[in-house]
Amino acid sequence: MVSLISSNFNNLRPDSKLTRMSQRRKFIKQSLMGSALFIPGVSSIAEATAPSLFKGEKPLILSTWNHGLPANAAAVEKLKSGGSIIDAVETGVKDTELDLSNLSVGLQGLPDREGITTLDASIMSGDGSCGAVAFVRQVKHPISLARVVMEKTPHVMIVGEGAKQLAIAEGFPIEKEELSPGAKKAYLKWKETSQYKPVINIENHDTIGMIGMDAKGNLAGSCTTSGLSYKMHGRVGDSPIIGAGLFVDNEVGAATATGLGESIIRICGSFLIVELMRQGRTPQEACEEAVRRLIAKNSKDIKDIQAGFLAMNKDGEVGAYAVHPGFNFAQATLQNNVMIDSGSHFKKG
Ligand code: SD4
């Protein structure tokens, strides 16, 4: 189902700078005005067809979940001001990394079992350049640190204390280590029982993965998260793993993932989708096949596992699919920015 979630705009961050926020609101308002309120033919997105409203339009930006809407707006603003597609996907998710209302991305995210928030992020360009950081503490913008790994080091992934040292060397501010009010409240509540089990995301609020294409057809992607809440200290999910949480290839397309990282890593989810597209599948078919594969490899616990994939090919066709209902994504062009509900393998009820 396609939905224009105007109510989401009320959820814009409390800490946004006013100017940026009003610019973004203006863009979102324009987006809504530019979009049909009812879009014939896509009110129930056929699960075998691409759920793209703006097929073939470039630039095109896609992001996971409701927070994708303001993130897309920030990415589009960056492109409009002359930024590259890699600038756009970095800038877009930085918006989410600062979103105090979001407890699954950025330093305000829910902590691990020890009460420590650790962050994972990756960034990739369609030419194969990529960078990632994992198990990072006290850095507000892990996505920018991932970009530093990509552009200023000979490596692809730097983790933990080493990532923090890189951040210091590159002049990133190191934040005080304390839980955000929302995370602290949730953590104290969790500690009452300290149950360790993955929970299906029912709040429509999760990791942000963003994939985008510029006007010339160059692709890039980014993914950033505080990971699974109450994870074991040191646990790293799919988001910073190139090929699992994110994969981009200018010759084919791009894919990103959200949900239980372990299930996504097991099937190399994003790489799988790009390779299926390389073999001729549409983004939608590729996402559906990845979900089937994920279910097959995680069948014992599938009732408790949510995972969703989002993809585009170089022709601007779009695909999205999840294990369970509830996954949605934001899709933006220069003029429009709308939320679309993904189909899922298991249906409601
Ligand atoms: C992870 N996929 O760390 C990420 C984040 C997530 O609910 O989706 N958390 O597994």
Side-chain angles (χ1 to χ4, degrees):
M1 300 264 282
V2 174
S3 53
L4 302 176
I5 304 188
S6 50
S7 59
N8 286 330
F9 307 145
N10 299 330
N11 291 340
L12 285 173
R13 281 199 321 277
D15 70 331
S16 300
K17 283 193 187 122
L18 278 177
T19 44
R20 282 177 58 216
M21 193 154 102
S22 67
Q23 276 173 351
R24 194 158 311 133
R25 282 207 168 123
K26 198 169 146 208
F27 170 73
I28 290 169
K29 206 168 147 202
Q30 284 167 349
S31 304
L32 284 170
M33 282 169 17
S35 309
L37 283 170
F38 172 70
I39 297 143
V42 285
S43 56
S44 66
I45 294 161
E47 285 158 14
T49 58
S52 179
L53 298 185
F54 323 118
K55 196 176 157 192
E57 257 188 74
K58 295 175 195 169
L60 180 65
I61 307 279
L62 307 178
S63 299
T64 55
W65 305 111
N66 291 343
H67 48 222
L69 215 49
N72 278 1
V76 167
E77 272 175 35
K78 192 73 189 173
L79 286 176
K80 281 183 175 169
S81 65
S84 66
I85 190 66
I86 201 85
D87 293 334
V89 297
E90 179 194 1
T91 303
V93 302
K94 275 174 82 173
D95 186 277
T96 322
E97 287 179 341
L98 293 181
D99 180 352
L100 286 183
S101 68
N102 185 329
L103 297 186
S104 47
V105 179
L107 287 179
Q108 64 282 351
L110 293 170
D112 63 18
R113 300 164 88 166
E114 319 301 326
I116 299 167
T117 302
T118 66
L119 306 179
D120 302 333
S122 63
I123 191 161
M124 186 165 192
S125 154
D127 66 1
S129 317
C130 52
V133 290
F135 190 44
V136 190
R137 291 157 76 160
Q138 296 172 269
V139 174
K140 213 180 237 178
H141 287 302
I143 196 65
S144 300
L145 195 54
R147 188 168 176 182
V148 165
V149 174
M150 174 173 85
E151 292 180 343
K152 297 192 180 176
T153 80
H155 307 302
V156 166
M157 184 182 243
I158 298 190
V159 307
E161 186 55 31
K164 189 166 145 189
Q165 281 171 16
L166 178 66
I168 293 167
E170 285 294 318
F172 284 59
I174 298 301
E175 308 298 327
K176 207 164 140 202
E177 193 152 52
E178 63 184 2
L179 294 181
S180 65
K184 188 169 178 187
K185 195 168 159 212
Y187 177 62
L188 292 177
K189 178 93 192 122
W190 173 80
K191 277 224 306 196
E192 287 171 14
T193 53
S194 302
Q195 268 193 343
Y196 188 61
K197 68 174 205 180
V199 177
I200 289 183
N201 180 290
I202 45 164
E203 293 165 7
N204 220 10
H205 221 262
D206 214 294
T207 297
I208 184 154
M210 175 181 280
I211 49 179
M213 177 162 51
D214 68 15
K216 291 185 179 150
N218 296 306
L219 294 158
S222 55
C223 191
T224 178
T225 187
S226 55
L228 194 65
S229 46
Y230 319 128
K231 58 196 174 187
M232 287 176 70
H233 189 60
R235 178 265 187 191
V236 170
D238 61 305
S239 307
I241 298 180
I242 299 296
L246 178 69
F247 198 72
V248 185
D249 185 339
N250 271 347
E251 287 176 18
V252 180
T256 189
T258 177
L260 186 68
E262 284 74 4
S263 68
I264 296 161
I265 293 170
R266 277 186 197 114
I267 61 155
C268 256
S270 295
F271 179 73
L272 172 64
I273 289 168
V274 172
E275 290 310 297
L276 288 168
M277 292 194 293
R278 195 189 304 275
Q279 291 162 21
R281 310 273 185 115
T282 65
Q284 185 61 29
E285 288 166 348
C287 287
E288 291 181 23
E289 175 60 26
V291 166
R292 272 194 291 275
R293 192 87 60 98
L294 185 148
I295 291 169
K297 297 292 178 200
N298 297 272
S299 56
K300 196 164 66 69
D301 304 313
I302 202 64
K303 196 169 56 65
D304 291 326
I305 294 175
Q306 173 62 312
F309 295 106
L310 181 58
M312 71 166 73
N313 65 15
K314 65 182 172 57
D315 298 325
E317 292 178 311
V318 171
Y321 210 58
V323 175
H324 294 280
F327 176 44
N328 62 359
F329 65 99
Q331 178 170 351
T333 62
L334 291 181
Q335 286 80 36
N336 297 285
N337 191 16
V338 298
M339 291 305 303
I340 302 178
D341 287 345
S342 157
S344 58
H345 181 89
F346 297 105
K347 312 298 175 199
K348 269 203 177 98

